[in-house]
């Protein structure tokens, strides 16, 4: 049977082509792997998970003094992660996470100004729960005259050094309002 007739049927042509493709995929440098055959040199590495700490997603800021009724509220706030992405840098020895979050504010009856600074934190933890870094930020929110609500967007960048075989997936980024002891007690 001539080679030409053998290639006429698709099944026979595929039978011949598959070993040729496998052989050509194996040729090249020592870095060649199955992913480079499909156009990517390695599988995508995971990003850290982003979570809002339960109980720290809202904050109530009261006026000075002992009153803690609804009439004593200056501002209430809510924090929400909006979006984010990560990128591995320095030959995959670090992951840089760009995070966008929103802080919504509602002006209460005890507000004496249109602006309030909302304290919030960003912490990096290992999956075991151990906090390895934490920083507190302050976000001023201004409510327009004649309005009760406003929202601001905060853009943050976190760099996590990676050691050993760790990837971004081994870490969790935790965000929330930095509450006082009194605010924590009132939240529960």
């Amino acid at each position: 049977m001539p080679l030409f007739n053998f290639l006429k049927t698709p099944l026979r042509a595929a039978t011949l082509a598959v070993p040729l493709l496998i052989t050509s995929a194996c040729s090249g440098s020592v870095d060649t792997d199955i992913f480079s055959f499909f156009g990517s040199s390695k599988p995508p590495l995971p990003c850290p998970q982003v979570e809002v700490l339960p109980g720290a997603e809202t904050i109530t800021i009261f006026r000075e003094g002992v009153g803690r009724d609804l009439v004593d509220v200056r501002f209430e706030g809510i924090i929400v992660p909006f979006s984010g992405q990560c990128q591995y840098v320095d030959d995959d020895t670090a992951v840089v996470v760009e995070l966008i979050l929103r802080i919504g504010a509602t002006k209460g009856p005890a507000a004496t100004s249109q602006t309030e600074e909302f304290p919030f934190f960003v912490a990096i933890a290992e999956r075991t729960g151990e906090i390895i870094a934490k920083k507190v930020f302050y976000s001023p929110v201004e409510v327009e005259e004649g309005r009760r609500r406003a929202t601001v967007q905060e853009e943050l960048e976190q760099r996590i050094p990676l050691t050993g075989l760790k990837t971004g997936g081994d870490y969790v980024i935790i965000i929330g309002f930095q509450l006082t002891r009194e605010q924590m007690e009132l939240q529960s």
Side-chain angles (χ1 to χ4, degrees), residues 140-158:
V141 180
E142 183 175 351
V143 178
E144 289 181 27
E145 193 68 45
R147 303 243 175 185
R148 288 194 58 233
R149 292 185 174 89
T151 303
V152 296
Q153 183 168 293
E154 293 288 344
E155 297 181 19
L156 305 167
E157 184 177 284
Q158 300 293 307

Side-chain angles (χ1 to χ4, degrees), residues 2-185:
L3 181 62
F4 183 72
N5 287 339
F6 180 77
L7 294 176
K8 279 187 175 179
T9 66
L11 181 59
R12 289 182 182 158
T15 305
L16 181 63
V18 169
L20 288 174
L21 285 173
I22 291 172
T23 305
S24 66
C26 292
S27 65
S29 69
V30 262
D31 293 344
T32 303
D33 59 16
I34 189 69
F35 296 104
S36 64
F37 178 72
F38 294 107
S40 172
S41 61
K42 58 187 169 183
L45 295 171
C47 289
Q49 183 174 342
V50 178
E51 298 178 355
V52 178
L53 182 66
E57 68 270 39
T58 61
I59 188 171
T60 302
I61 301 171
F62 293 97
R63 69 173 151 201
E64 297 296 321
V66 294
R68 293 298 175 257
D69 252 344
L70 186 58
V71 295
D72 300 310
V73 174
R74 285 191 349 228
F75 280 87
E76 292 178 305
I78 186 167
I79 192 167
V80 179
F82 182 61
S83 67
Q85 64 182 12
C86 78
Q87 179 178 2
Y88 285 77
V89 295
D90 301 333
D91 293 326
D92 298 341
T93 60
V95 62
V96 175
V97 180
E98 294 172 357
L99 179 65
I100 299 173
L101 56 95
R102 288 193 174 160
I103 296 176
T106 303
K107 196 168 95 171
T112 57
S113 76
Q114 298 301 112
T115 304
E116 184 67 46
E117 275 199 347
F118 287 86
F120 69 96
F121 67 88
V122 177
I124 299 170
E126 293 189 357
R127 288 271 178 199
T128 61
E130 180 185 350
I131 303 290
I132 57 174
K134 178 184 173 186
K135 184 171 181 181
V136 177
F137 300 89
Y138 294 89
S139 182
V141 180
E142 183 175 351
V143 178
E144 289 181 27
E145 193 68 45
R147 303 243 175 185
R148 288 194 58 233
R149 292 185 174 89
T151 303
V152 296
Q153 183 168 293
E154 293 288 344
E155 297 181 19
L156 305 167
E157 184 177 284
Q158 300 293 307
R159 181 185 178 92
I160 304 172
L162 302 173
T163 58
L165 298 175
K166 290 193 174 190
T167 67
D170 293 312
Y171 297 93
V172 179
I173 297 177
I174 304 167
I175 61 173
F177 284 114
Q178 184 65 43
L179 304 173
T180 64
R181 184 172 305 282
E182 179 187 27
Q183 288 168 330
M184 285 189 283
E185 289 169 3

